[in-house]
Amino acid sequence: MIDGCGREIDYVRISVTDRCNLRCVYCMPEEGVPLVSHCDILSYNEIQKLAFVFVKLGIRKIKLTGGEPLVRKGLPDLVKQLKQVPGIEQVTLTTNGLLLGEQMENLALAGIDGINVSLDTLNPEIFQQITGNSGVEKALAGLFKALQYPQIPVKINCVPMGVPGQDLTELAGLAKEYPVHVRFIEMMPIGLGKQFGIRKEDDILTELERQYGPYEVFDGKLGNGPGHYYTFPDFKGEIGFISAISHKFCGQCNRVRLTSQGYLKTCLQYDVGVDLRKILRGGGSEAELMQAVANAIGQKPVGHCFGEDAGEHVERHVMAQIGG
């Protein structure tokens, strides 16, 4: 599936819920977001049906996101359903880890291909400050439970905020002690994220180098996204960066997003795309769904222009409503 800019689109991030058990200050307001009726979000069977459509158009990899995907009942069942779709090569999951410990066994049995744990700090007080929750120990327990399955790659996603006490070097140290890749993701100026600054990749690398010694560029690819990685002496994992603002990678973008309510978003910054739920529930055929997806991807924007005037189609939802 090639978009209008000649990019191959083979990866879809599917949000299964807007709901979350944390209130990260850059993602969701303290009072939460307006609750969406269960009947308004896609059922697992509808998601699987769309997966069959996506495969026929060239999608090979699926990431399940939220909100917090594990708050939706029976998520391992969805993983199993998607793994049964011929042509889907990988089904992975992004989670905050709080419910991972109790669900990891079932996820592994369902065939999950990778786990990303969102974890911004190891400091309990700063964790509470960022997430509105005191559950850092529970998140770590979920992470360590996932590491008991060596066949399933595990990554940690951290959003550097410049908050005193966040201590990125301590978090990076998990990649020294365990076979886990720690990735630093630039703050996206979407929704609540607009109120925070961006910590530059070079500054973080300098900080890590002072603590762990000289780094080298990792000459390889880890995962399906745009992350680039570095190796540090005696580390069991790599240190990665996803720097969408300072190191813009729109020219290599290979993804689209499906919201929990069935809207296919073709770029994070814009609200453009197509309502696939309307077609699904309106009795649309597979051919009509395929044409709608192909048309939307054919008009995928060239790239974001954060910091500039994005025009009337700028996205106004918070990240939890979009799908991470």
Side-chain angles (χ1 to χ4, degrees):
M1 186 158 50
I2 307 299
D3 72 3
C5 300
R7 297 169 293 199
E8 181 181 1
I9 309 302
D10 63 359
Y11 176 31
V12 60
R13 298 174 68 92
I14 298 177
S15 173
V16 299
T17 180
D18 293 355
R19 303 187 185 197
C20 189
N21 48 0
L22 295 182
R23 293 292 181 268
C24 295
V25 293
Y26 53 79
C27 183
M28 185 181 286
E30 185 176 353
E31 67 277 11
V33 294
L35 294 180
V36 176
S37 170
H38 188 72
C39 66
D40 288 332
I41 65 174
L42 295 180
S43 70
Y44 287 168
N45 286 339
E46 287 174 324
I47 292 173
Q48 186 188 41
K49 184 173 182 178
L50 287 177
F52 277 101
V53 171
F54 292 148
V55 161
K56 290 186 177 181
L57 289 167
I59 294 292
R60 296 289 176 261
K61 292 159 282 194
I62 293 175
K63 172 80 72 181
L64 299 176
T65 71
E68 168 49 44
L70 293 181
V71 302
R72 184 164 175 183
K73 185 177 179 181
L75 190 78
D77 297 331
L78 175 60
V79 173
K80 187 175 181 178
Q81 284 182 254
L82 294 174
K83 292 287 290 185
Q84 293 171 350
V85 177
I88 293 297
E89 298 171 359
Q90 290 185 5
V91 179
T92 58
L93 170 74
T94 291
T95 171
N96 61 36
L98 295 188
L99 301 176
L100 185 58
E102 60 199 62
Q103 297 195 45
M104 187 62 215
E105 182 178 0
N106 287 335
L107 287 166
L109 290 172
I112 197 75
D113 293 299
I115 302 284
N116 290 3
V117 178
S118 298
L119 183 64
D120 290 331
T121 183
L122 300 181
N123 183 312
E125 293 182 3
I126 304 304
F127 186 89
Q128 172 81 49
Q129 179 183 332
I130 293 173
T131 69
N133 188 289
S134 59
V136 66
E137 294 300 330
K138 194 170 183 181
L140 285 170
L143 169 68
F144 292 134
K145 182 70 172 181
L147 288 172
Q148 293 178 20
Y149 297 82
Q151 76 278 18
I152 301 174
V154 179
K155 299 185 181 77
I156 293 172
N157 291 340
C158 168
V159 179
M161 301 175 62
V163 175
Q166 186 177 15
D167 199 344
L168 304 183
T169 58
E170 182 182 30
L171 194 64
L174 290 174
K176 180 179 175 67
E177 300 299 327
Y178 304 98
V180 59
H181 307 304
V182 176
R183 310 190 303 174
F184 297 105
I185 302 177
E186 278 187 349
M187 181 72 68
M188 298 298 292
I190 292 280
L192 299 173
K194 294 177 181 177
Q195 63 187 301
F196 297 96
I198 296 173
R199 282 214 61 190
K200 294 182 178 179
E201 178 178 323
D202 291 346
D203 293 341
I204 297 173
L205 277 172
T206 299
E207 185 177 324
L208 298 181
E209 190 172 38
R210 281 198 298 265
Q211 178 73 20
Y212 297 114
Y215 60 85
E216 295 181 0
V217 175
F218 175 74
D219 186 20
K221 184 172 176 60
L222 298 170
N224 304 318
H228 54 278
Y229 295 84
Y230 301 89
T231 61
F232 283 81
D234 302 319
F235 270 45
K236 295 180 179 178
E238 317 299 339
I239 299 297
F241 289 85
I242 299 177
S243 306
I245 309 302
S246 63
H247 295 68
K248 188 174 178 178
F249 45 74
C250 295
Q252 291 79 46
C253 184
N254 67 335
R255 69 186 60 187
V256 289
R257 287 175 166 81
L258 184 69
T259 73
S260 62
Q261 297 178 64
Y263 191 82
L264 186 72
K265 278 179 57 66
T266 55
C267 180
L268 184 59
Q269 186 179 15
Y270 303 99
D271 63 6
V272 294
V274 62
D275 186 349
L276 297 181
R277 184 187 67 184
K278 183 177 180 180
I279 300 172
L280 264 176
R281 297 184 180 178
S285 66
E286 184 178 83
E288 289 174 310
L289 285 165
M290 289 179 65
Q291 189 61 57
V293 173
N295 289 344
I297 288 177
Q299 300 174 52
K300 179 176 168 68
V302 174
H304 70 71
C305 56
F306 289 118
E308 306 172 29
D309 182 8
E312 61 178 322
H313 290 292
V314 65
E315 179 60 73
R316 290 180 171 82
H317 290 93
V318 300
M319 284 297 293
Q321 294 170 305
I322 297 169

